[in-house]
């Protein structure tokens, strides 16, 4: 966490005691992207992911006055999110009502200890998204076209495979490699922005 | 050849691209990730990247729309206090997540209760639901009142015609709690429990595994409530209905006193001094101290679901409790979906997670623990002591047909470990958590995959472990001796790591050595020959966690 975000958190934590409603709105705006990205890790359906994210913030709203300034505010919000995601995953699994893919907890661990250990070292989502945009622009033509087709145009791996005369598995692995490349680029960018010269 | 990493990445990329994996593939992916922390990190990073890309490309809802949606939803609610139960039960779970000082924290997640519906939909949906619910309640009450009035009039008229006294309340035939003797209570009669004393208790005196619920084969049907598959919305009248339905003397008997209550959130209005009997209790948040008539004091923290069964027995379905049992209440039993804990004069803590897995820790005195198993004739029991093995974990029973592997582990303060996997009356024992976890997971996976084959392999595996396996194994000049299959597992992996670290790739032609087992010597000069020798030496055991280490680089293990 950067010094700036720590200062914001401290201010918000103090505010939470006196004007919880106001503090809540600030927290919501600060972390909405983080939580919506977090829920998208587990829910293949974006509407469902946002529904869970909304539930998370309702919990945050009700608990604002109870936040103690001992840990990080982001960590606290993330813990609530983790709980809500688990709850939703279990309820959905139990009901067998799956809208889109659910990535079960046994595959994608969401333990309290790892929830904050994101690949980008506690940056807020805003910084990550910014870096991602830059990194996408730096991709070569072919990988960028593939990302755009798959994510922005919603073309399935099977359709892309048919278009390119490859099999779907190859396309999925290509996407995996591109994401890896993007992750590396984002990390480098964020480190440079934080003034770190190397790993 | 498909390396485990390639297999895992393939499965992962299918899953993340929108494909639904079947259970076997899901389990395989989970297993592969469990074995390889580097791969797990890689997948974790990929999941985040995928989520970032999806978030960035999602045109459905802008940030501002999302923020506004949440604000609208919260606008109607006050931010403090307990505005409605629906939200507060979750609110109280959060501190539990960060309770690092809790000895059981981290082992079991603080999980919500099964039967509780917590739905936070959009504001409009919420209002509509409330409106419908009000209408429904109003019309239901009107109908009920009218029906009750008509029935009362008819009954009065009927009984006055017959000139007979009014009948006493009879048990509802559909109410199984009232109709049938409770299996769990029946297996340990109260008078038998009285005879249990710390010095005289023998394993055979403990109730066998059939006294606890087996979720798979003898599922506990929530008798006074709708099935758990569609959890009911909170209804404050529900709990009282549940008690009121039971009208036979035994089930009406109350044997627990609420001696302390600390801000409880549950489906009842209670105060200190209230009494409880055999009923399912769900506490969403807060804390309650229960004193059983025999003297055991149990503190429960929400969220928890439990059922007092008798003066000396409690069933813990989910959640965590602390039991302090004075000498006069020795024999107090807590049953969970996967274990039975019998107190021998002590203080202990039990936690049960959503999957029914249980964790027991003795703080003072002594407890006896046993897993729940179908195999009643072969139940293993262990005693936990604070300064020896003080903690036991019982793992979930897989949802499969036929014999189910039962696995449990014991842990001591000094890092001692013993793991047990039992199947079909045969038990494999482990001293390393890694080997135990590996075999435990594989036993389940193999059973899901091919039960008949797995049962045969399991028998052969355990038989081979029981052999007095003596021998040496030599790899690239390094020699080790082993006296058991566990030694082989440990030493083989260690030796292979050394071989791989020293730069000799397992595939290279200079990979050579020998296995000398019970006097039979097998030599090898290539990886393939090594694999053949290993299979020959260790037989089917190779399928249960011994083999396949060569395909994984040490750093990934």
């Amino acid at each position: 966490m950067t010094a700036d975000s720590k200062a914001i958190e401290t201010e918000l934590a103090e505010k939470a005691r006196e004007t919880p409603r106001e503090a809540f709105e600030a927290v919501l705006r600060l972390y909405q992207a983080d939580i919506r990205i977090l829920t998208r890790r587990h829910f293949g359906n974006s509407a469902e992911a946002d529904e869970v994210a909304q539930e998370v913030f309702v919990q945050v709203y009700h608990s604002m006055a109870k936040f103690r300034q001992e840990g990080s505010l982001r960590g606290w919000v993330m813990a609530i999110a983790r709980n809500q995601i688990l709850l939703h995953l279990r309820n959905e699994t139990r009901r067998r009502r799956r809208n889109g893919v659910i990535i079960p907890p046994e595959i994608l661990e969401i333990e309290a200890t790892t929830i904050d250990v994101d690949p980008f070292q506690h940056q807020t989502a805003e910084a990550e998204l910014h870096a991602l945009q830059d990194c996408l622009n730096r991709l070569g033509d072919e990988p960028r076209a593939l990302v755009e087709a798959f994510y922005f145009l919603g073309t399935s791996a099977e359709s892309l495979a048919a278009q390119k005369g490859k099999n779907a598995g190859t396309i999925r692995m290509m996407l995996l490699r591109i994401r890896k490349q993007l992750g590396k680029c984002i990390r480098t960018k964020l480190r440079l922005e934080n003034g770190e010269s190397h790993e | 050849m498909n390396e485990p990493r390639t297999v895992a990445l393939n499965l992962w990329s299918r899953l993340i691209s929108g494909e639904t994996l079947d259970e076997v593939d899901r389990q395989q992916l989970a297993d592969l990730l469990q074995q390889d922390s580097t791969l797990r990190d890689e997948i974790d990073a990929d999941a985040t990247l995928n989520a970032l890309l999806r978030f960035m490309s999602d045109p459905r809802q802008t940030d501002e729309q999302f923020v506004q949606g949440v604000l609208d939803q919260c606008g109607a609610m006050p931010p403090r206090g307990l505005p409605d139960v629906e939200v507060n039960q979750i609110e109280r779970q959060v501190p539990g997540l960060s309770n690092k000082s809790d000895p059981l924290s981290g082992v079991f997640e603080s999980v919500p209760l099964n039967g509780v519906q917590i739905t936070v939909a959009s504001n409009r949906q919420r209002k509509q639901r409330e409106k419908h619910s009000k209408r429904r309640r109003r019309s239901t009450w009107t109908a009920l009142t009218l029906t009750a009035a008509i029935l009362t009039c008819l009954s009065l008229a009927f009984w006055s015609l017959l000139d007979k006294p009014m009948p006493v309340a009879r048990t509802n035939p559909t109410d199984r709690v009232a109709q049938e003797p409770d299996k769990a209570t029946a297996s340990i009669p109260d008078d038998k429990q009285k005879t249990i004393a710390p010095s005289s208790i023998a394993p055979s005196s403990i109730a066998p595994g059939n006294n606890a619920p087996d979720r798979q084969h003898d599922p506990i049907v929530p008798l006074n409530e709708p099935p758990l598959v569609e959890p009911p919305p909170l209804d404050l009248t529900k709990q009282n209905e549940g008690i009121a339905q039971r009208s036979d003397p035994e089930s009406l008997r109350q044997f627990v006193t609420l001696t302390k209550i600390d801000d409880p959130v549950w489906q009842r209005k209670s105060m200190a001094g209230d009494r409880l009997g055999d009923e399912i209790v769900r506490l969403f948040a807060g804390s309650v101290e229960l004193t059983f008539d025999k003297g055991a004091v149990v503190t429960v923290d929400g969220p928890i679901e439990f059922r007092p069964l008798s003066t000396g027995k409690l069933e813990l379905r989910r959640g965590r409790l602390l039991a302090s049992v004075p000498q006069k209440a020795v024999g107090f039993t807590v049953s969970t979906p996967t274990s039975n804990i019998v107190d021998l004069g002590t203080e202990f803590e039990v936690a049960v997670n959503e999957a029914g897995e249980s964790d027991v820790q003795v703080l003072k005195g002594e407890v006896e623990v046993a897993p729940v198993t179908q195999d009643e004739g072969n139940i293993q029991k262990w005693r936990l002591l604070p300064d020896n093995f003080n903690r036991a974990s019982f793992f979930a029973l897989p949802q499969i047909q036929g014999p189910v592997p039962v696995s449990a582990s014991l842990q001591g303060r000094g890092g001692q470990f013993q793991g047990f996997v039992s199947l079909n009356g045969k038990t494999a024992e482990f001293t390393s958590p890694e080997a135990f976890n590996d075999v435990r997971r594989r036993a389940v996976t193999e059973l899901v995959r091919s039960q008949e084959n797995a049962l045969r392999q399991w028998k052969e595996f355990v038989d081979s472990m029981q052999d007095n396996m003596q021998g040496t194994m030599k790899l690239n000049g390094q020699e080790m001796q082993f006296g058991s299959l566990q030694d082989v597992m440990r030493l083989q992996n260690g030796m292979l790591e050394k071989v791989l670290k020293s730069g000799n790739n397992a595939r290279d032609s200079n990979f050579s050595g020998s296995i000398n087992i019970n006097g039979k010597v097998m030599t090898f000069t290539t990886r393939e020959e090594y694999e053949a020798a290993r299979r020959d030496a260790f037989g089917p055991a190779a399928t249960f966690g011994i083999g396949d280490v060569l395909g994984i680089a040490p750093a990934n293990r």
Side-chain angles (χ1 to χ4, degrees), chain B residues 18-33:
Chain B
E19 217 178 289
T20 308
L21 298 184
D22 64 27
E23 197 172 338
V24 172
D25 282 344
R26 265 177 58 180
Q27 186 61 49
Q28 188 184 8
L29 178 56
D31 282 353
L32 289 167
L33 294 180

Side-chain angles (χ1 to χ4, degrees), chain B residues 10 14 45 113 147 171 179 191 204 216 350 414 488 492 510:
Chain B
N10 262 319
R14 278 171 54 199
L113 300 176
T147 315
T171 309
Q179 286 280 299
D191 57 350
S204 59
Q216 184 191 354
V350 187
V488 177
Q492 175 188 256
N510 61 358

Side-chain angles (χ1 to χ4, degrees), chain B residues 250-264:
Chain B
E250 186 56 33
S251 61
L252 281 177
R253 200 160 66 89
Q254 294 182 316
F255 41 80
V256 183
T257 308
L258 298 178
T259 36
K260 279 183 200 163
I261 57 173
D262 179 13
D263 210 6

Side-chain angles (χ1 to χ4, degrees), chain B residues 59-126:
Chain B
R60 209 186 60 83
Q61 188 168 217
T62 64
D63 292 357
E64 196 49 45
Q65 282 168 336
F66 177 84
V67 167
Q68 209 47 54
V70 176
L71 289 175
D72 282 352
Q73 185 159 338
C74 296
M77 310 173 197
R80 291 171 196 264
L82 303 175
D84 69 42
V85 183
E86 210 173 21
V87 168
N88 271 309
Q89 53 189 289
I90 297 301
E91 184 185 359
R92 299 308 188 86
Q93 290 166 14
V94 175
L97 289 171
S98 56
N99 187 5
K100 300 285 183 203
S101 60
D102 185 337
L104 291 176
S105 105
V107 175
F108 289 101
E109 294 152 329
S110 171
V111 290
L113 300 176
N114 229 355
V116 185
Q117 169 112 39
I118 298 134
T119 312
V120 183
S122 71
N123 212 18
R124 189 187 297 168
Q125 283 172 318
R126 190 186 175 84

Side-chain angles (χ1 to χ4, degrees), chain B residues 201-216:
Chain B
I201 193 157
S204 59
S205 69
I206 308 296
N210 65 341
N211 65 341
D214 179 332
R215 297 174 79 206
Q216 184 191 354

